Amino acid sequence: MSRKIIEFDRVGKQYVLGTFGIKFIKLLKPRYGYLIVLAIMLAELELLHSFSFSTPLYSNVLVYIKHIAFSLLDISSILLLSSLFLRYSNRALVVIHILFSILVLSNIWYVRFFDTYIPFDMYYGGASNMTEFLDSILPVLHFSDIFFIFSNVVVIYLLWNKKSNISRFSTCCFSLSLILASIFAIQRYISTKKNVFRQIIAETNISFSGGLYNYGFIVSYIGDLYFSNSGFNVIYSTKEIQYLSKYINTDNFIVNKETPQNLILIIVESLSSYPLNKSFAEMEITPNINRLIKNASFFSDKMIDQTKYGISSDGQLIYLTGLIPFPNDATIFKCKNNTFKTLANLLVGYNTKATIPTREDCWCQKDANKSYGINSVISIENSQLIKDNCNDKSVFEETIHSDIETKKPFFSMVLTISTHLPYNEKKTDKNFKFPKYFSKELRNYLTNVNYLDSQLGDYIENLKKNQLYDNSIIVILGDHLPPNGSLKMPNNNPCTHLPFIVLNAESQLPPIKEFIYQDCVFPTLLDLMSVKSKYRGVGQSLLMPDSVRHSSYELKRAELKQDISSMILSTDYFNK
């Protein structure tokens, strides 16, 4: 090649890449390669965690150093794994890094979608959950995600055709991370005098996000497997269980019934109280629900959302069992095979069924419904109607057919779907004159609630036509609030509370003006259905007199309800 061509080539490179680009390319020499790869992987992890915590990751220096130590343990383990491929170790590392990037990036997308990391159980037991998530992935893509394409290009450039041996570097990194992790473990033992392994297992499972941040993927994953196969109780001592057990039971305030009524529990996806009794240019968002509220036995639009990382599955858990979920975990994945006392199995002699708009393996519905005492489930797998038209119309049509055919009395749980995020499209062509400052997502959400309302109205009419309405207690409530950020109204989010509506109960209450919690639903429904069980969940029935509600025993129960609930869940308390 002539000198002129070489000079032109250099000028061309400088023109395309710029001076900084030329210097950066020169930096990417083999002797720096592994160090740069390590830095890239660490940066990818830091990017993931930055989306999950509102405060800066380095706000607590010691915690941050521990986090870096266990992150290095993850990364150096990957480096060691690639070194097993000997002469192909560099290419193996390229492939493993691509898989690592997919893992981290999918968790970033999941955080943006569900406000939590992907539960470990989902990797081997929640394929349909991931399918549901991937079907709605466009709204969670950000320009910053290009970093992962760039990082893989750099890693391929550094390693693909290089013959350097990675074993020495990976061994040094692994040894350093083990030393740092061991220092923290020793320090923890000296300060607490307790089994460090059990403490870490407890932290990684009760504090899902914190556990993954503090101890990394590998340690948290080992902890998850141990927790799931150790009989659960790695947290509570016998003394603690005995103490909390004193506050599990409470009195009942049952309504005596001459004949048993069906119980129909309609759990509406992401239904907040905001759309209720709302009109825009004289067009009501929920005209059917508004009419039902006027004649409701109970109504509250101030129910506080207690769901956590399990979102919809947490709502079902609270309403069906009276328990509240782990504060920092997707509870149903840990407890799907627990023994529970539930609305379904405490209603002795009732036929129990559910209609769900998903596959039964989505969010562990099959195992969970079995544990909840629900014997018959209509889902995408056995309903061609729902499979072909997965919307609230098909859900309610299948439900009314099942209601007619099921032997009475029955308990029925209905899960809706049409108000599920993302809110990037409408389920109906109906147009409302919303204020200009409403985001597109809020407009679509309200329009989809209107669609839900029309289908719910048709279902109620069908219950009346088939002489099922008068002999059924019908409960309408939201499973959780629309997820954070999903309505794109950061400074003016109108959705703050959930609705709780009860129709046809033999006991009436005036409109409830004070705030209530989701865990009030279970004991209230037990009272309305005349169930005499001593166990009534961790909440307080709305039929409980104030004199009892403010007693020292009930005040203590209210104070301890998270501990009581977590103990029952983590020890599988009722499996005796």
Side-chain angles (χ1 to χ4, degrees):
M1 184 180 294
S2 70
R3 182 167 181 156
K4 280 189 176 182
I5 293 175
I6 293 171
E7 288 177 354
F8 177 79
D9 188 52
R10 287 173 179 167
V11 172
K13 280 185 178 179
Q14 190 162 351
Y15 177 77
V16 173
L17 296 174
T19 304
F20 176 79
I22 292 292
K23 290 181 178 179
F24 181 75
I25 291 296
K26 288 181 178 179
L27 177 67
L28 302 183
K29 295 180 178 179
R31 66 176 178 269
Y32 300 119
Y34 298 131
L35 194 60
I36 293 171
V37 171
L38 186 147
I40 285 173
M41 296 176 78
L42 191 60
E44 289 172 337
L45 284 176
E46 293 304 282
L47 192 61
L48 164 62
H49 296 307
S50 69
F51 283 104
S52 305
F53 293 87
S54 56
T55 55
L57 300 179
Y58 48 80
S59 55
N60 186 318
V61 175
L62 289 178
V63 172
Y64 187 64
I65 293 173
K66 178 175 69 172
H67 154 68
I68 293 295
F70 282 94
S71 294
L72 285 174
L73 187 62
D74 281 345
I75 296 168
S76 58
S77 298
I78 291 173
L79 298 177
L80 268 181
L81 177 62
S82 64
S83 70
L84 297 177
F85 292 86
L86 301 176
R87 59 181 294 191
Y88 299 105
S89 59
N90 279 6
R91 294 192 175 189
L93 179 55
V94 169
V95 174
I96 293 172
H97 176 260
I98 291 172
L99 297 176
F100 176 80
S101 296
I102 293 172
L103 170 69
V104 174
L105 186 56
S106 61
N107 269 276
I108 288 174
W109 290 337
Y110 201 84
V111 165
R112 292 173 186 159
F113 196 84
F114 290 118
D115 204 26
T116 180
Y117 301 111
I118 299 174
F120 290 120
D121 312 67
M122 198 174 290
Y123 293 117
Y124 53 83
S128 65
N129 300 47
M130 292 302 295
T131 301
E132 174 193 358
F133 164 57
L134 292 173
D135 287 342
S136 305
I137 202 170
L138 283 178
V140 299
L141 297 178
H142 284 194
F143 181 76
S144 60
D145 298 339
I146 293 176
F147 172 77
F148 288 87
I149 298 175
F150 171 77
S151 67
N152 278 282
V153 170
V154 170
V155 171
I156 292 170
Y157 174 85
L158 285 170
L159 301 179
W160 190 255
N161 289 317
K162 307 298 187 296
K163 295 182 179 180
S164 303
N165 195 333
I166 195 175
S167 59
R168 182 180 298 177
F169 181 82
S170 61
T171 302
C172 291
C173 289
F174 190 76
S175 300
L176 175 62
S177 60
L178 274 182
I179 291 170
L180 289 173
S182 299
I183 290 172
F184 281 104
I186 293 168
Q187 182 271 332
R188 172 68 69 87
Y189 177 76
I190 292 173
S191 61
T192 63
K193 304 296 184 183
K194 292 182 179 180
N195 186 310
V196 176
F197 177 71
R198 289 173 66 88
Q199 289 182 67
I200 292 175
I201 298 303
E203 283 186 39
T204 57
N205 284 279
I206 290 301
S207 181
F208 179 59
S209 292
L212 194 60
Y213 172 74
N214 284 321
Y215 301 108
F217 281 94
I218 293 175
V219 173
S220 295
Y221 190 62
I222 293 172
D224 183 80
L225 290 175
Y226 181 85
F227 184 87
S228 299
N229 294 284
S230 63
F232 287 94
N233 187 26
V234 295
I235 300 162
Y236 293 93
S237 67
T238 301
K239 186 175 180 180
E240 288 171 324
I241 294 172
Q242 290 173 345
Y243 174 72
L244 293 172
S245 295
K246 295 190 299 183
Y247 295 97
I248 290 178
N249 296 330
T250 189
D251 296 329
N252 65 66
F253 304 93
I254 62 173
V255 176
N256 292 317
K257 304 167 74 68
E258 295 181 3
T259 56
Q261 288 178 283
N262 306 313
L263 178 58
I264 301 173
L265 187 66
I266 302 172
I267 304 178
V268 181
E269 174 64 39
S270 301
L271 179 65
S272 73
S273 299
Y274 175 70
L276 276 54
N277 292 308
K278 277 283 182 304
S279 296
F280 297 92
E282 299 184 356
M283 290 177 63
E284 292 180 284
I285 298 294
T286 57
N288 292 296
I289 295 178
N290 297 345
R291 282 193 292 272
L292 295 173
I293 289 172
K294 291 177 181 178
N295 298 309
S297 305
F298 288 12
F299 168 63
S300 171
D301 59 359
K302 293 181 175 61
M303 185 161 67
I304 295 173
D305 185 347
Q306 292 175 288
T307 62
K308 300 297 181 182
Y309 294 118
I311 45 179
S312 294
S313 66
D314 284 349
Q316 294 171 51
L317 175 81
I318 297 168
Y319 296 145
L320 291 174
T321 71
L323 299 171
I324 50 180
F326 292 135
N328 293 293
D329 209 339
T331 301
I332 198 61
F333 286 106
K334 295 289 188 298
C335 305
K336 59 182 180 290
N337 295 315
N338 275 25
T339 298
F340 293 106
K341 292 188 177 182
T342 72
L343 283 176
N345 60 33
L346 290 174
L347 289 169
V348 180
Y350 276 62
N351 290 292
T352 57
K353 64 190 185 73
T355 307
I356 63 175
T358 63
R359 294 173 55 87
E360 285 194 66
D361 58 356
C362 183
W363 282 96
C364 307
Q365 287 283 356
K366 184 175 183 178
D367 291 329
N369 284 326
K370 183 178 178 181
S371 295
Y372 293 152
I374 295 173
N375 297 323
S376 173
V377 178
I378 300 170
S379 69
I380 283 178
E381 291 164 303
N382 57 20
S383 167
Q384 193 64 40
L385 180 61
I386 297 178
K387 184 176 181 180
D388 293 341
N389 304 281
C390 190
N391 55 32
D392 291 345
K393 180 178 175 63
S394 61
V395 167
F396 283 119
E397 286 181 0
E398 282 286 13
T399 301
I400 191 63
H401 292 318
S402 174
D403 292 344
I404 294 168
E405 295 172 1
T406 302
K407 185 178 178 181
K408 316 306 183 282
F410 64 76
F411 166 78
S412 174
M413 178 181 71
V414 185
L415 306 183
T416 71
I417 185 66
S418 295
T419 47
H420 197 290
L421 56 67
Y423 305 117
N424 54 2
E425 63 179 24
K426 300 188 295 184
K427 309 297 183 185
T428 175
D429 293 330
K430 198 166 185 179
N431 292 313
F432 288 86
K433 293 182 179 179
F434 294 117
K436 292 182 179 180
Y437 67 88
F438 276 21
S439 65
K440 173 188 173 183
E441 289 75 14
L442 179 56
R443 294 165 187 250
N444 289 341
Y445 169 72
L446 293 173
T447 304
N448 293 346
V449 170
N450 174 260
Y451 170 77
L452 165 277
D453 178 82
S454 66
Q455 303 309 316
L456 176 60
D458 289 345
Y459 174 68
I460 296 295
E461 287 303 312
N462 282 321
L463 287 174
K464 292 178 179 178
K465 288 177 183 177
N466 290 281
Q467 290 76 51
L468 291 169
Y469 181 82
D470 291 334
N471 198 34
S472 300
I473 290 181
I474 301 162
V475 183
I476 304 166
L477 24 68
D479 57 354
H480 58 80
L481 294 172
N484 289 336
S486 62
L487 299 178
K488 302 292 178 67
M489 297 287 286
N491 299 318
N492 187 26
N493 184 2
C495 301
T496 55
H497 296 97
L498 301 170
F500 176 32
I501 306 166
V502 180
L503 309 174
N504 287 343
E506 294 184 11
S507 179
Q508 297 266 338
L509 278 181
I512 303 164
K513 296 182 179 180
E514 67 265 22
F515 294 109
I516 64 172
Y517 290 88
Q518 283 182 293
D519 59 24
C520 295
V521 172
F522 179 78
T524 300
L525 294 182
L526 290 184
D527 285 342
L528 293 176
M529 298 300 294
S530 303
V531 176
K532 297 181 179 180
S533 168
K534 291 182 179 179
Y535 171 75
R536 310 190 84 73
V538 297
Q540 296 177 323
S541 169
L542 299 179
L543 295 175
M544 179 182 287
D546 287 342
S547 58
V548 178
R549 189 186 310 276
H550 298 137
S551 66
S552 58
Y553 178 79
E554 283 299 326
L555 291 174
K556 193 64 177 178
R557 281 186 78 243
E559 177 188 333
L560 294 172
K561 65 181 177 180
Q562 180 65 71
D563 291 322
I564 295 169
S565 187
S566 294
M567 182 274 288
I568 290 173
L569 290 167
S570 63
T571 63
D572 196 7
Y573 184 83
F574 295 118
N575 187 19
K576 297 178 180 179

